Amino acid sequence: MTYQRLPYDDAASAEQMTSDARKAAAVVTALRRPAPSIRYEDYPREVPKPTIEVSEAAARLAAALHLHLD
């Protein structure tokens, strides 16, 4: 006695498998979004650097630990 595993639970009809494939393709198509631009003009040229403020308490603590927060 031999057993051959099928890719589906039961042997589905070709029409049902085609319908499943079309539904899956519709879901994937709906989820697609355009790729980001790689053009230089689409990005800002001057990006300000973030500033980090060190509180007076943190500066005193760093000084006590001999750290330099300049």
Side-chain angles (χ1 to χ4, degrees):
M1 186 169 168
T2 63
Y3 172 74
Q4 183 179 7
R5 184 174 175 170
L6 299 173
Y8 283 79
D9 294 337
D10 294 327
S13 65
E15 292 83 15
Q16 185 176 357
M17 289 190 281
T18 301
S19 172
D20 291 345
R22 285 192 177 131
K23 287 177 188 175
V27 169
V28 169
T29 302
L31 293 176
R32 273 194 315 191
R33 58 181 181 212
S37 173
I38 59 171
R39 294 176 16 161
Y40 181 76
E41 296 82 26
D42 293 338
Y43 294 95
R45 290 183 175 86
E46 294 293 327
V47 179
K49 293 183 179 180
T51 58
I52 300 173
E53 295 184 20
V54 179
S55 69
E56 185 179 334
R60 284 195 314 255
L61 183 60
L65 296 173
H66 302 290
L67 300 175
H68 300 282
L69 296 177
D70 294 340

